[in-house]
């Protein structure tokens, strides 16, 4: 058994217990901060920057002005609709810790492996009875890959099943350090076309496509396709992604993840506009069914919704 550095630390922005998504059974999802992509439809925009971020919920504010006096960096403006100037904010968290109503919340906390494991241990029996375990998500967990590797090692030392949601965009060192401790990799493939990928995520996909075969060698891997009308929701894209998936060792399943707007309100809370605007409609069920038939026609299993 590999030794674990329980003092290793990283920035975690949420831990969600009792999830029935993102892996088998009942799971606890640990969300790590930081992501090298900026997908237009990102449902966790507060995760994108590695540093903690302040979120402001206007309807909880009672106007007590405590945050204004607490901020030493001039980042609070009571008259501004978005309240926090994120260019001036240093993520010190003073405003959030003094806010009496929870209108200001700091998302992102430095935690050691030891501390995260102490939270995860609360559900050990649930993991065992349900066939569940732990899923790392983000953000992109590989941004903090040294921490992720230690955390995953610690989970394996407990005998827990481990899964990881990943974009696959990382260094080879990160891939080699992390995936030996990942039982199930949920690997997003957003587009095979470099220009479409760049327009949708801010980066071209070469690194992801280069890492994918190695990830599939090291971990059981499912390919997931966030399916976004007007971006990658085309028959041609699903044919190309299916062909690519078939080249990956052991991959026999693609998940079609229909576009949703669940993260839209969070953009307002962090003072940003929703990049997708209001123009894009949810993926029609008949389109999802057609993509499913295309994938199945390539000899792969396909689940709509993951
Ligand atoms: S986190 Fe710190 S710097 Fe940022 S707005 Fe709050 S008090 Fe000011
Ligand atoms: S401390 Fe909280 S409740 Fe008071 S003004 Fe600031 S955001 Fe509003």
């Amino acid at each position: 058994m590999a030794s674990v550095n329980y003092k290793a630390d990283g920035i975690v922005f949420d831990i969600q217990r009792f999830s029935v998504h993102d892996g088998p059974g009942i799971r606890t999802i640990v969300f790590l901060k930081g992501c090298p992509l900026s997908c237009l439809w990102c449902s966790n925009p507060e995760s994108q920057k590695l540093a903690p971020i302040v979120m402001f919920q206007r309807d909880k504010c009672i106007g007590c002005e405590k945050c204004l006096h607490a901020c030493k960096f001039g980042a609070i403006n009571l008259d501004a609709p978005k309240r926090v100037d994120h260019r001036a904010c240093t993520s010190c968290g003073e405003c959030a810790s003094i806010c009496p109503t929870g209108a200001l919340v700091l998302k992102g906390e430095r935690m050691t492996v030891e501390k995260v494991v102490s939270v995860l241990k609360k559900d050990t029996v649930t993991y065992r009875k349900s066939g569940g375990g732990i899923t790392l998500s983000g953000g992109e967990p590989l941004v903090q890959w040294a921490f992720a590797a230690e955390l995953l090692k610690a989970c394996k030392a407990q005998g827990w099943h481990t899964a990881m949601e990943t974009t696959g965009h990382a260094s080879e060192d990160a891939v080699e350090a992390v995936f030996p401790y990942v039982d199930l990799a949920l690997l997003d493939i957003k587009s095979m076309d470099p220009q479409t990928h760049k327009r949708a995520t801010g980066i071209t996909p070469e690194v992801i496509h280069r890492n994918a075969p190695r990830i599939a060698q090291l971990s059981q891997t499912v390919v997931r396709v966030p399916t976004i009308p007007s971006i990658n929701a085309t028959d041609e894209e699903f044919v190309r992604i299916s062909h690519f998936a078939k080249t990956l060792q052991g991959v026999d399943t693609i998940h079609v993840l229909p576009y949703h707007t669940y993260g839209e309100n969070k953009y307002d809370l962090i003072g940003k506009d929703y990049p997708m605007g209001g123009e894009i409609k949810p993926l029609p069920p008949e389109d999802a069914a057609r993509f499913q038939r295309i994938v199945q026609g390539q000899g792969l299993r396909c689940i709509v919704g993951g």
Side-chain angles (χ1 to χ4, degrees), residues 139-210:
E140 165 51 66
L142 295 172
V143 167
Q144 302 189 66
W145 61 267
F147 172 61
E150 295 304 322
L151 181 54
L152 289 160
K153 268 193 255 176
C155 292
K156 294 313 299 171
Q158 295 290 331
W160 298 331
H161 179 273
T162 58
M164 192 165 94
E165 291 191 290
T166 181
T167 66
H169 187 88
S171 67
E172 290 174 29
D173 286 349
V175 170
E176 296 297 331
V178 166
F179 286 96
Y181 307 102
V182 175
D183 295 315
L184 174 65
L186 301 165
L187 173 64
D188 276 10
I189 299 291
K190 282 139 183 158
S191 176
M192 297 306 295
D193 176 63
Q195 279 161 5
T196 302
H197 201 283
K198 173 119 175 117
R199 180 166 65 90
T201 72
I203 60 158
T204 54
E206 290 82 5
V207 172
I208 295 166
H209 295 173
R210 189 191 67 216

Side-chain angles (χ1 to χ4, degrees), residues 33-196:
K33 267 184 90 28
C35 187
L37 280 65
S38 44
C39 302
L40 295 175
W41 58 88
C42 179
S43 56
N44 288 329
E46 76 277 30
S47 74
Q48 291 179 349
K49 285 194 175 154
L50 183 57
I53 189 168
V54 179
M55 297 176 85
F56 173 60
Q57 204 170 330
R58 198 172 298 110
D59 57 2
K60 286 190 175 176
C61 176
I62 55 171
C64 69
E65 301 190 4
K66 287 185 175 175
C67 54
L68 179 67
H69 302 299
C71 183
K72 300 182 186 72
F73 302 93
I76 297 279
N77 181 346
L78 294 175
D79 299 324
K82 298 189 191 273
R83 182 61 55 94
V84 179
D85 177 353
H86 288 276
R87 290 161 307 178
C89 175
T90 63
S91 305
C92 73
E94 289 296 324
C95 57
S97 62
I98 204 164
C99 175
T101 63
L104 287 162
V105 173
L106 188 70
K107 290 300 261 185
E109 177 188 353
R110 191 165 281 284
M111 295 177 79
T112 61
V113 169
E114 187 176 31
K115 188 166 175 191
V116 177
V117 169
S118 73
V119 177
L120 301 177
K121 274 184 175 171
K122 292 177 186 168
D123 298 311
T124 302
V125 175
T126 306
Y127 308 146
R128 195 175 61 243
K129 285 191 173 166
S130 70
I134 311 303
T135 300
L136 292 196
S137 184
E140 165 51 66
L142 295 172
V143 167
Q144 302 189 66
W145 61 267
F147 172 61
E150 295 304 322
L151 181 54
L152 289 160
K153 268 193 255 176
C155 292
K156 294 313 299 171
Q158 295 290 331
W160 298 331
H161 179 273
T162 58
M164 192 165 94
E165 291 191 290
T166 181
T167 66
H169 187 88
S171 67
E172 290 174 29
D173 286 349
V175 170
E176 296 297 331
V178 166
F179 286 96
Y181 307 102
V182 175
D183 295 315
L184 174 65
L186 301 165
L187 173 64
D188 276 10
I189 299 291
K190 282 139 183 158
S191 176
M192 297 306 295
D193 176 63
Q195 279 161 5
T196 302

Side-chain angles (χ1 to χ4, degrees), residues 22-41:
D22 305 320
I26 297 174
R27 314 191 67 81
T28 299
I29 318 285
V30 181
F31 293 86
L32 304 189
K33 267 184 90 28
C35 187
L37 280 65
S38 44
C39 302
L40 295 175
W41 58 88

